[in-house]
Amino acid sequence: MPVVAAIGAQWGDEGKGKIVDMLAEKARYVVRFNGGDNAGHTVVNPHGEFKLRLTPSGIFYKNTTSIIGNGVVINPAVLNAEVDMLNSRGIDTSRLLISDRAHLIMPYHIAIEGLEEKALGAKAIGTTLKGIGPAFADKVARSGIRTGDLLDKAVFRDKLATTLEAKNKILTRVYGAKALSLDEIYTQYCQYADRWASHICDTSVILAAAVEKNEPILLEGAQGFLLDPDYGTYPFATSSSPTSANACLGSGIPPNKITHIVGVFKAFQTRVGAGPMPTELKDATGDMIRERGQEYGTVSGRARRCGWFDAVAARLSVRVNGFNSIAITRLDILDGMPRLKICTAYKLDGKTIDYFPSSIAALEKCEPVLEEIAGWDKPTNDVRKFKDLPPNSQRYIKKLEELTGCPVSLISVGKHREATIVRKSVF
Ligand code: GDP
Ligand code: IMO
Ligand code: MG
């Protein structure tokens, strides 16, 4: 039975929320496996429009269990607010489960990240300032606190006291900032513990049983492949892996149980925050795409940098993630543009290259080699079959398949759940 992973394939905000909400109809479990509330996944369905940061985008279906996996870092204050919002809008969250291995974002993570980014000045990463990087840093430094620790308040207080002592030294001595209060954090997190204790468990056991029973599972990626700390534009990256490989590690499902990996790509390219982006359009066309697509951050409201589809970066994404197929989103945003361009290679120091350099310095020098392709006039929003798309729009999709070497299974032509062309079912 299917275990499908939906992976962000560019720099995030590809429309994973839309695709996951649509695919989740067939799933029994939907699992977030990486990132934290740096994510902002927009879902538009018969219940309304939602911007989810921690809750899996399958939460809207009555028969689906939503799991926040061990690979996620959780800010319980954000979780509370999100679940309250969902409940106030009539969405049942009683089946939400949280891995006892998931790490907690603590107030010092957020405070330290703010100070670090400020200290970097013009060299700042442009993070979401949610404490994501410091929380993952503590995880690998073995000083993190996990949701499971909340289940024993004495253990939690002990761990918090040890870690906070060290963090307060950084806050006061390195940055000259105020120390944080152990009692205040302890009291606050005990309230979170009381609220979430009955939802915190070893979710990998539940997923193993689901795999055993052949129940359909959907793994929901956050961020995008080009923000991966290994393969992305490091150091302008996030701190947990958005790749298909981490879909396994961050959920506890072994690689040989995954039946289909779908890479979610926008029909063009966007990026928020700093770092190289070879196809960025710093001109009227870039502004036009931003305005047509309302390309502003789901969480932060920051303007997204816009550019042409980058097939060089896409090929790396296809190769490392092992995509079985691609979901193209936001095709409708390109409706009415007379000419479109796709980046097929880069020019670096006078040479044409067909690979995505690992070095930021090299990538910053890369100029896109662009192939022009005719656009289409007719709106695509109401199209539900590939053959009904305008011929040039079909050509555009086929060109993307040819350049990436991967078949396009799903095409999204609007933000609503039903505004999707299913060429081949992934479940
Ligand atoms: P995510 O982080 O990958 O879930 O993506 P975001 O929600 O941050 O950004 C994607 C934006 O595109 C959201 O506003 C979605 O509602 C919207 N969206 C998704 N698919 C489509 C589509 O096919 N057409 C249009 N017009 N909007 C879409
Ligand atoms: P979704 O799941 C787009 C970017 C930030 C910054 C870099 C590091 O909605 O696609 P971080 O706070 O993670 O340490 O920031 O990563 N970033 C995202 N960009 N979509 C996201 O999530 C992102 N999550 C992080 O803008 O450049
Ligand atoms: Mg987003």
Side-chain angles (χ1 to χ4, degrees), residues 228-296:
D228 181 65
D230 282 88
Y231 284 94
T233 46
Y234 186 86
F236 298 100
T238 190
S239 303
S240 69
S241 176
T243 61
S244 58
N246 197 38
C248 297
L249 202 56
S251 65
I253 295 178
N256 61 355
K257 299 296 180 197
I258 308 272
T259 53
H260 194 102
I261 306 166
V262 58
V264 185
F265 287 85
K266 255 178 215 183
F268 45 97
Q269 207 81 21
T270 63
R271 168 163 209 172
V272 234
M277 177 179 172
T279 64
E280 182 173 11
L281 289 163
K282 294 179 183 165
D283 59 9
T285 311
D287 293 344
M288 185 173 77
I289 297 176
R290 183 176 311 106
E291 290 318 309
R292 292 168 73 105
Q294 281 303 296
E295 289 290 359
Y296 294 93

Side-chain angles (χ1 to χ4, degrees), residues 13-18 40-42 44 298 304 329-330 332-333 412-415:
D13 301 329
E14 297 90 349
K16 299 173 293 290
K18 142 89 200 232
H41 293 185
T42 313
V44 185
T298 304
R304 294 177 184 150
T329 65
R330 316 208 85 196
D332 55 300
I333 300 299
S412 175
V413 289
K415 59 187 183 173

Side-chain angles (χ1 to χ4, degrees), residues 310-352:
D310 186 338
V312 182
R315 282 195 289 270
L316 178 67
S317 192
V318 168
R319 169 159 69 83
V320 174
N321 285 293
F323 295 141
N324 299 99
S325 74
I326 284 175
I328 293 287
T329 65
R330 316 208 85 196
L331 187 70
D332 55 300
I333 300 299
L334 302 180
D335 294 351
M337 288 183 67
R339 303 213 64 79
L340 303 169
K341 290 180 186 169
I342 302 176
C343 169
T344 57
Y346 299 147
K347 275 258 190 246
L348 175 62
D349 297 330
K351 283 196 200 121
T352 303

